[in-house]
């Protein structure tokens, strides 16, 4: 039981760090512009739903994908760790993708699919993180990962729904600090994955 609690906390921390609803608030607001509240709610609901479906597919079919392409768990952990470390390092350096800085004068609700759902919410970092958690997991752990990611999507939806209020009350400086802290956590998670992959490879 204690093992499952520890696993659940690790999964939640990993998803929260990589998705980070707070630091994604300015991105969301820059994409939706001056849209009315109902439009913002529709876009955020569609974005988190699509993000959940994408990650769920990789979580459920993760082992099949591994077998299909002959991917080993150590190779995946090391490669995934490098990718996740890179994402965290970029966040620490305050680098942002040009996709995330898009501004639209006309609100096209398809932004819920791209770039909001993909790659901002369900980008490579999120997918790699999810697949790492289920790479050698049983059905119970896979279910836990899906449940925790669903909770993460719900938190993201709530945060986006309250985006104007949160930014008005906290300010962009606080959001920037949170983003850097999450970047550090992501980099540490990536390093841990690399170490795990090396240990498994050499039976350490």
């Amino acid at each position: 039981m204690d093992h499952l609690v520890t696993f659940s906390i690790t999964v939640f921390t990993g998803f929260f760090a990589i998705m980070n609803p707070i630091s994604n608030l300015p991105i969301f607001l820059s994409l939706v512009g001056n849209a009315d509240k109902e439009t913002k709610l529709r876009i955020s609901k569609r974005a988190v739903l699509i993000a959940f479906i994408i990650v769920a597919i990789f979580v459920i079919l993760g082992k099949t994908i591994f077998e299909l392409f002959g991917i080993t768990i150590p190779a995946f952990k090391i490669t995934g760790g490098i990718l996740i470390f890179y994402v965290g390092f970029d966040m620490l350096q305050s680098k942002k993708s040009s996709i995330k800085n898009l501004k639209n004068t006309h609100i096209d609700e398809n932004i819920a699919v791209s770039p909001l759902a993909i790659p901002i919410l369900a980008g490579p970092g999120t997918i790699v993180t999810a697949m790492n958690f289920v790479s050698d997991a049983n059905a119970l752990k896979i279910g836990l990962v899906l449940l925790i990611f669903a909770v993460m999507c719900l938190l993201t939806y709530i945060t986006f729904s309250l985006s104007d209020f949160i930014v008005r009350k906290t300010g962009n400086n606080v959001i920037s600090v949170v983003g850097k802290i999450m970047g550090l956590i992501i980099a540490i998670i990536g390093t841990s994955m690399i170490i795990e992959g090396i240990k498994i490879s050499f039976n350490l």
Side-chain angles (χ1 to χ4, degrees):
M1 187 64 183
D2 290 341
H3 176 67
L4 289 178
V5 171
T6 303
F7 176 77
S8 299
I9 293 173
T10 302
V11 173
F12 180 82
T13 303
F15 279 141
F16 188 86
I18 204 76
M19 288 182 71
N20 193 1
I22 301 299
S23 66
N24 278 334
L25 271 182
I27 301 167
F28 175 74
L29 289 173
S30 70
L31 290 171
V32 298
N34 296 318
D36 58 80
K37 187 174 182 179
E38 289 185 2
T39 302
K40 288 180 180 179
L41 288 175
R42 282 199 306 272
I43 291 174
S44 57
K45 185 184 296 183
R46 187 179 178 193
V48 296
L49 180 61
I50 293 172
F52 176 79
I53 292 172
I54 291 170
V55 173
I57 289 172
F58 278 95
V59 167
I60 295 170
L61 300 178
K63 291 184 179 180
T64 303
I65 293 172
F66 277 26
E67 293 171 0
L68 183 63
F69 293 98
I71 300 172
T72 64
I73 291 175
F76 179 80
K77 285 184 178 291
I78 292 172
T79 305
I82 292 171
L83 289 173
I84 292 175
F85 178 87
Y86 182 76
V87 171
F89 183 77
D90 271 359
M91 290 176 67
L92 283 169
Q93 298 297 312
S94 298
K95 295 180 181 178
K96 294 183 179 179
S97 168
S98 58
I99 293 177
K100 294 186 177 184
N101 291 324
L102 290 173
K103 293 184 179 179
N104 296 317
T105 54
H106 171 68
I107 304 301
D108 180 1
E109 293 192 24
N110 285 325
I111 61 172
V113 180
S114 179
L116 198 50
I118 312 166
I120 294 173
L121 297 181
T126 308
I127 293 171
V128 167
T129 300
M131 290 186 68
N132 173 64
F133 288 134
V134 300
S135 60
D136 53 356
N138 54 30
L140 178 59
K141 286 187 176 180
I142 291 174
L144 277 174
V145 170
L146 287 174
L147 177 61
I148 293 168
F149 187 71
V151 171
M152 194 67 245
C153 286
L154 178 61
L155 289 176
T156 300
Y157 173 71
I158 293 171
T159 304
F160 284 174
S161 300
L162 301 173
S163 56
D164 292 322
F165 174 79
I166 294 172
V167 171
R168 190 167 59 249
K169 291 295 182 181
T170 62
N172 287 322
N173 288 336
V174 173
I175 293 174
S176 176
V177 171
V178 172
K180 287 184 179 294
I181 293 173
M182 292 301 104
L184 176 61
I185 293 174
I186 291 170
I188 292 171
I189 290 173
T191 303
S192 298
M193 286 175 62
I194 294 171
I195 293 172
E196 281 183 37
I198 293 172
K199 283 184 176 179
I200 295 172
S201 295
F202 295 98
N203 296 316
L204 299 176

